[in-house]
Amino acid sequence: MTPNLLEVVDLHTRYGRVEALNGVSITVPQGHIVSVIGANGAGKTTLMNSIMGVLPSQGQLRYAGHDIQNMSLETRVQQGICLVPERRDLFASMTVADNLMLGAYSRRSKPWKADLEDVYRRFPRLLERRAQLAGTLSGGEQQMLAIGRALMAKPKLLLLDEPSLGLAPLIVRDILLMVKHLRDEGLTVLLVEQNARASLAISDEAYVLETGQVKMSGPAAELARNEELSASYLGG
Ligand code: ATP
């Protein structure tokens, strides 16, 4: 059986009095893409931020067999967890190349030159535009840069929060295909997507989050055929 890289057990996250996650449990097997789908406000971003340690939470977080609940954000990054946030967080007034180099900043193991070449090989568009300021890239290029920068940190677990947000359908397809290739090369991915049908198509397992709780879960292919889910999240 595939070992789990991440196990989230009975996770609770609050914003003051608002309980945004109310006992969420998910497992992410090594080398799989697991997607989390759900309506606006379901708690998807909160889940990602809680796993990363950007937000404090209660409950168990086990990563690669270790309890990471008390680990700092920096240590989680060094252990190989990397979040590409919904708003991408690029340095707009820095070049593409400098943004990528910053991705390697947290790494203990250098050199990173081969990794930079690897990112440029995956995203030829970034190579073409390496001297361009990140803030002047198109939305799709910015998402490529955000993923490329995450890859520079040599992650074992990539947390991708709404990579297709605001992008045209063809670009969404390219980005999700890239995520699938990364999985095929061994990366483990937890993917949050509004674009439920497209994300189920590349995922191994999926969870449906509703008001801070897991409403449904299972193999992605089964959920894609589920009628109830289809009516509410997959556009019929
Ligand atoms: P979306 O798809 O719209 O990004 P989401 O599923 O990612 O939604 P979250 O952003 O995790 O949802 O929000 C979950 C709940 O927590 C929502 O009810 C939201 O209003 C609330 N929430 C999120 N951030 C804060 C905050 N900083 N302060 C107070 N409440 C918050």
Side-chain angles (χ1 to χ4, degrees), residues 29-236:
Q30 176 107 40
H32 284 204
I33 300 176
V34 173
S35 62
V36 177
I37 56 184
N40 291 118
K44 306 181 297 299
T45 296
T46 303
L47 175 64
M48 296 301 230
N49 286 337
S50 304
I51 294 169
M52 193 68 244
V54 178
L55 280 175
S57 61
Q58 285 175 328
Q60 273 186 52
L61 286 176
R62 287 185 71 76
Y63 167 75
H66 300 283
D67 181 359
I68 58 162
Q69 185 55 284
N70 295 317
M71 273 184 196
S72 66
L73 167 63
E74 290 73 21
T75 313
R76 292 183 206 199
V77 173
Q78 275 161 8
Q79 297 294 314
I81 308 177
C82 193
L83 169 68
V84 180
E86 194 172 356
R87 59 189 184 284
R88 293 165 197 158
D89 280 356
L90 298 170
F91 294 93
S93 56
M94 290 173 67
T95 64
V96 166
D98 286 343
N99 268 278
L100 288 173
M101 245 98 87
L102 278 174
Y105 178 75
S106 64
R107 278 171 49 183
R108 293 211 177 110
S109 62
K110 314 275 184 316
W112 39 261
K113 275 213 168 106
D115 300 315
L116 188 60
E117 278 163 22
D118 182 59
V119 169
Y120 285 146
R121 181 182 56 77
R122 289 175 197 281
F123 300 106
R125 187 74 70 88
L126 296 182
L127 176 63
E128 270 167 38
R129 303 194 171 237
R130 63 190 179 282
Q132 189 172 326
L133 299 184
T136 64
L137 295 174
S138 73
E141 289 163 352
Q142 290 194 14
Q143 187 60 60
M144 289 175 200
L145 179 54
I147 295 176
R149 188 180 57 178
L151 294 179
M152 290 295 289
K154 288 253 170 206
K156 297 189 180 88
L157 173 65
L158 189 63
L159 308 174
L160 275 179
D161 195 356
E162 303 246 11
S164 73
L165 195 74
L167 304 182
L170 272 182
I171 315 273
V172 172
R173 197 197 58 184
D174 286 354
I175 299 264
L176 292 180
L177 260 180
M178 170 60 59
V179 175
K180 190 163 174 274
H181 286 153
L182 290 169
R183 188 274 316 272
D184 294 343
E185 292 172 20
L187 188 65
T188 307
V189 181
L190 183 61
L191 172 67
V192 156
E193 262 295 336
Q194 287 263 331
N195 205 327
R197 196 172 284 287
S199 64
L200 286 179
I202 62 157
S203 296
D204 299 284
E205 291 89 22
Y207 290 80
V208 180
L209 215 55
E210 222 175 82
T211 53
Q213 293 186 316
V214 174
K215 188 174 177 227
M216 227 184 266
S217 65
E222 267 177 34
L223 289 187
R225 289 192 299 267
N226 183 290
E227 281 180 15
E228 189 191 340
L229 190 69
S230 183
S232 358
Y233 295 102
L234 304 177

Side-chain angles (χ1 to χ4, degrees), residues 7-23:
E7 289 169 344
V8 175
V9 183
D10 195 23
L11 201 71
H12 292 256
T13 306
R14 317 180 62 92
Y15 299 100
R17 284 192 183 167
V18 178
E19 184 149 60
L21 295 184
N22 184 8

